[in-house]
Amino acid sequence: MAEKTFIIAEAGVNHNGSLERAKLMVAAAAEAGANAIKFQTFSAKTLVTKHAAKACYQKKTTGNKDNQYEMLKKLELTYQDFFTLKQCCKQADIEFMSTPFDLSTIDMLVALGLEKWKLPSGEVTNLPYLRKIGALNKEIIASTGMCDLDEVSAMLKALELAGTKREKITLLHCNTEYPTPMKDVNLRAMKTLAEEFPGLKSIGYSDHTLGIEVPIAAVAMGATVLEKHFTLDRKLPGPDHQASLEPDELSLMIRSIRHIEQAMGHDIKMPTPSELKNRQIARKSIVAARAISANEIFSENNLTVKRPGTGVSPMHWDELIGRRAARNYVEDELIDE
């Protein structure tokens, strides 16, 4: 049986700076069946310069009126907000996660007792950041969007030298475009990551495509951690809503993944209990094509193959041809010799 996928419902900043909306997202993710809900912990002041431009997709979804700093400032949550959200997650029986984006917010999440750390693609080349998280010696899930193998290798080296062993690290293949064009998904890169970096805890996929097909395919290809953005309403203003699933879609994706996990099965080719009852009905036996007299020679003229499969298997055809019948047979009677 395939390993159960750890599914992270990525709330990100889709709460739009509202604690009450974030609470509703916790409830929605739990109801959909996600293992964890992940937020983003940051201070605009320590994340970007006051004149940083938006990404193209952010301009498309939020317009050109404000810059990245001004946009992110509206999406911040406080330490008390995250404390409240962690309590909500506990009550809803879903794991609380949040991605820090600078050294101070790492400290904030340490104070909250975060046990599983999710690193975003944008921090892969942030050495001070990697050293600080690596020194925590906690489980790490790291996205690798925009990376080549050398950058992934350097990130792993920094985390390991800081104190986190490779067997605690999961790498997520990722494409950092919102939404990701299908031609740029490159799911086979998951296999490359596994081959190039042996000894990891696992390999997974962080998805930014529209729809649910690609995450399901990723699980079928071996992803054991899956991250997907979701929102309460795709029509809400904000940078990530349009590339996110709504709750009913998130629920459908998770149900589909759980079905795929069951369908993956094992690597032994054998009949299953559910189909054994159909074997005698669907298979065939050697039967009399017409009335056959005792001592008549069996031939292609008086034998044929028909259902059910309760008699002599047609795989013994050559053994019967040329032999003499031991008794009389009527048409359609199973040959029992």
Side-chain angles (χ1 to χ4, degrees), residues 90-253:
K90 184 176 181 180
Q91 293 171 2
D93 195 25
I94 186 171
E95 184 170 345
F96 169 82
M97 295 179 66
S98 193
T99 294
F101 280 83
D102 55 53
L103 302 185
S104 62
T105 49
I106 292 174
D107 291 333
M108 183 188 296
L109 293 174
V110 167
L112 283 173
L114 200 69
E115 289 295 320
K116 194 178 276 115
W117 292 76
K118 172 61 175 58
L119 278 58
S121 297
E123 305 303 325
V124 168
T125 57
N126 185 345
L127 186 56
Y129 175 98
L130 296 174
R131 284 173 172 164
K132 184 155 187 170
I133 288 185
L136 299 174
N137 193 25
K138 301 289 187 180
E139 182 179 342
I140 292 173
I141 301 171
S143 286
T144 59
M146 306 175 289
C147 291
D148 57 31
L149 289 177
D150 288 341
E151 289 171 326
V152 176
S153 179
M155 174 185 67
L156 285 174
K157 182 178 179 181
L159 292 172
E160 290 177 286
L161 288 175
T164 300
K165 293 182 178 180
R166 185 171 292 199
E167 55 261 34
K168 286 188 173 183
I169 301 172
T170 293
L171 292 181
L172 303 187
H173 172 55
C174 178
N175 180 290
T176 310
E177 173 62 314
Y178 302 81
T180 300
M182 289 294 178
K183 64 182 178 63
D184 290 340
V185 171
N186 193 24
L187 280 181
R188 289 191 176 96
M190 287 194 304
K191 181 180 178 182
T192 302
L193 289 172
E195 291 172 348
E196 290 290 326
F197 306 108
L200 293 165
K201 179 178 174 64
S202 63
I203 293 291
Y205 175 63
S206 179
D207 184 60
H208 298 132
T209 64
L210 297 176
I212 66 174
E213 304 99 318
V214 176
I216 295 169
V219 171
M221 290 179 64
T224 58
V225 176
L226 191 285
E227 180 181 60
K228 181 73 173 180
H229 279 264
F230 86 104
T231 177
L232 296 178
D233 184 349
R234 237 186 329 264
K235 296 184 180 66
L236 286 168
D240 297 337
H241 293 285
Q242 291 183 24
S244 302
L245 298 180
E246 292 184 344
D248 58 338
E249 296 167 320
L250 178 66
S251 181
L252 176 60
M253 182 195 77

Side-chain angles (χ1 to χ4, degrees), residues 271-279:
T272 65
S274 65
E275 66 180 338
L276 281 174
K277 63 182 182 294
N278 298 321
R279 185 155 60 180

